[in-house]
Coordinates of all heavy atoms in Angstrom, one line a residue:
G1 N -12.1 3.7 22.4 CA -13.3 3.9 21.7 C -14.4 3.0 22.1 O -14.3 2.2 23.1
D2 N -15.6 3.0 21.4 CA -16.8 2.2 21.7 C -16.6 0.8 21.1 O -16.3 0.7 19.9 CB -18.0 2.9 21.2 CG -19.2 2.1 21.4 OD1 -19.8 2.1 22.5 OD2 -19.7 1.4 20.4
P3 N -16.8 -0.3 21.9 CA -16.6 -1.6 21.3 C -17.5 -1.9 20.1 O -17.0 -2.5 19.1 CB -16.9 -2.5 22.5 CG -17.6 -1.7 23.5 CD -17.2 -0.3 23.3
A4 N -18.7 -1.6 20.1 CA -19.6 -1.9 19.0 C -19.2 -1.1 17.8 O -19.2 -1.7 16.6 CB -21.1 -1.6 19.4
E5 N -18.8 0.1 17.9 CA -18.4 0.9 16.8 C -17.1 0.4 16.1 O -17.0 0.3 14.9 CB -18.2 2.4 17.2 CG -19.5 3.1 17.5 CD -19.3 4.5 18.0 OE1 -18.1 5.0 18.0 OE2 -20.3 5.2 18.4
L6 N -16.2 0.0 17.0 CA -14.9 -0.5 16.5 C -15.2 -1.9 15.8 O -14.6 -2.2 14.8 CB -13.9 -0.6 17.6 CG -13.2 0.6 18.0 CD1 -12.3 0.4 19.2 CD2 -12.3 1.2 16.9
A7 N -16.0 -2.7 16.4 CA -16.3 -4.0 15.9 C -16.9 -3.9 14.5 O -16.5 -4.6 13.5 CB -17.3 -4.8 16.8
A8 N -17.8 -2.9 14.3 CA -18.4 -2.7 13.0 C -17.4 -2.3 12.0 O -17.4 -2.7 10.8 CB -19.5 -1.7 13.1
Q9 N -16.5 -1.4 12.4 CA -15.4 -0.9 11.5 C -14.5 -2.1 11.1 O -14.2 -2.2 9.9 CB -14.6 0.1 12.3 CG -13.3 0.6 11.5 CD -12.5 1.5 12.4 OE1 -13.0 2.3 13.2 NE2 -11.2 1.5 12.2
Y10 N -14.1 -2.9 12.0 CA -13.2 -4.0 11.7 C -13.9 -5.1 10.8 O -13.2 -5.7 10.0 CB -12.6 -4.6 12.9 CG -11.7 -3.7 13.7 CD1 -11.7 -3.7 15.1 CD2 -10.9 -2.8 13.0 CE1 -10.9 -2.8 15.8 CE2 -10.1 -1.9 13.7 CZ -10.1 -1.9 15.1 OH -9.3 -1.0 15.8
D11 N -15.2 -5.2 11.0 CA -15.9 -6.1 10.1 C -15.9 -5.6 8.7 O -15.7 -6.3 7.7 CB -17.3 -6.3 10.7 CG -18.1 -7.3 9.9 OD1 -18.0 -8.5 10.1 OD2 -18.9 -6.9 9.0
R12 N -16.2 -4.3 8.6 CA -16.2 -3.7 7.2 C -14.8 -3.7 6.6 O -14.7 -3.9 5.4 CB -16.6 -2.2 7.3 CG -18.1 -2.0 7.6 CD -18.4 -0.5 7.4 NE -17.6 0.4 8.2 CZ -17.9 0.9 9.4 NH1 -19.0 0.5 10.0 NH2 -17.1 1.7 10.0
E13 N -13.8 -3.6 7.4 CA -12.4 -3.5 6.8 C -11.9 -4.9 6.4 O -10.8 -4.9 5.8 CB -11.5 -2.9 7.8 CG -11.6 -1.4 8.0 CD -10.6 -0.8 9.0 OE1 -9.7 -1.5 9.5 OE2 -10.6 0.4 9.2
G14 N -12.5 -5.9 6.8 CA -12.1 -7.2 6.4 C -11.3 -8.1 7.4 O -10.6 -9.0 7.0
G15 N -11.5 -7.8 8.7 CA -11.0 -8.6 9.7 C -11.5 -10.0 9.6 O -12.6 -10.3 9.2
D16 N -10.6 -11.0 9.8 CA -11.0 -12.4 9.6 C -11.8 -12.9 10.8 O -12.7 -13.7 10.7 CB -9.7 -13.3 9.5 CG -9.0 -13.0 8.2 OD1 -9.6 -13.0 7.1 OD2 -7.8 -12.6 8.2
E17 N -11.5 -12.4 12.0 CA -12.2 -12.7 13.2 C -12.1 -11.5 14.1 O -11.4 -10.5 13.8 CB -11.6 -13.9 13.9 CG -11.6 -15.2 13.1 CD -11.2 -16.4 13.9 OE1 -11.2 -16.4 15.2 OE2 -10.9 -17.5 13.3
L18 N -12.7 -11.6 15.3 CA -12.7 -10.5 16.3 C -12.6 -11.2 17.6 O -13.3 -12.1 17.9 CB -13.9 -9.6 16.2 CG -13.9 -8.3 17.0 CD1 -12.9 -7.3 16.5 CD2 -15.3 -7.7 17.0
V19 N -11.7 -10.6 18.5 CA -11.6 -11.1 19.9 C -12.1 -10.0 20.8 O -11.6 -8.8 20.7 CB -10.2 -11.5 20.2 CG1 -10.0 -11.8 21.7 CG2 -9.8 -12.8 19.5
F20 N -13.0 -10.3 21.7 CA -13.5 -9.4 22.7 C -13.0 -9.9 24.1 O -13.4 -11.0 24.5 CB -15.0 -9.3 22.6 CG -15.7 -8.5 23.7 CD1 -16.2 -7.3 23.5 CD2 -15.8 -9.1 25.0 CE1 -16.9 -6.6 24.5 CE2 -16.5 -8.4 26.0 CZ -17.0 -7.1 25.8
L21 N -12.3 -9.1 24.8 CA -11.8 -9.6 26.1 C -12.2 -8.6 27.2 O -11.8 -7.4 27.2 CB -10.2 -9.7 26.1 CG -9.7 -10.7 25.1 CD1 -8.1 -10.7 25.2 CD2 -10.2 -12.1 25.4
D22 N -13.0 -9.0 28.1 CA -13.4 -8.2 29.3 C -12.2 -8.3 30.3 O -12.1 -9.3 31.1 CB -14.7 -8.7 29.9 CG -15.2 -7.8 31.0 OD1 -14.4 -7.0 31.6 OD2 -16.4 -7.9 31.3
I23 N -11.3 -7.4 30.2 CA -10.0 -7.6 30.9 C -9.9 -7.5 32.4 O -8.9 -7.9 33.0 CB -8.9 -6.7 30.3 CG1 -9.3 -5.2 30.5 CG2 -8.7 -7.0 28.8 CD1 -8.2 -4.3 30.1
T24 N -11.0 -7.0 33.0 CA -11.0 -6.9 34.4 C -12.1 -7.8 35.1 O -12.3 -7.7 36.3 CB -11.2 -5.4 34.9 OG1 -12.4 -4.9 34.3 CG2 -10.1 -4.6 34.5

């Protein structure tokens, strides 16, 4: 999926933090 859309979803759902890894 899209990182910004997933980030917003996890923020709404109550994630305590978020990790973004540019894996390559």
Side-chain angles (χ1 to χ4, degrees):
D2 177 78
E5 290 176 4
L6 282 173
Q9 174 186 327
Y10 294 142
D11 184 83
R12 289 193 304 270
E13 288 185 359
D16 294 303
E17 297 187 20
L18 188 69
V19 169
F20 172 106
L21 299 177
D22 187 340
I23 61 172
T24 54

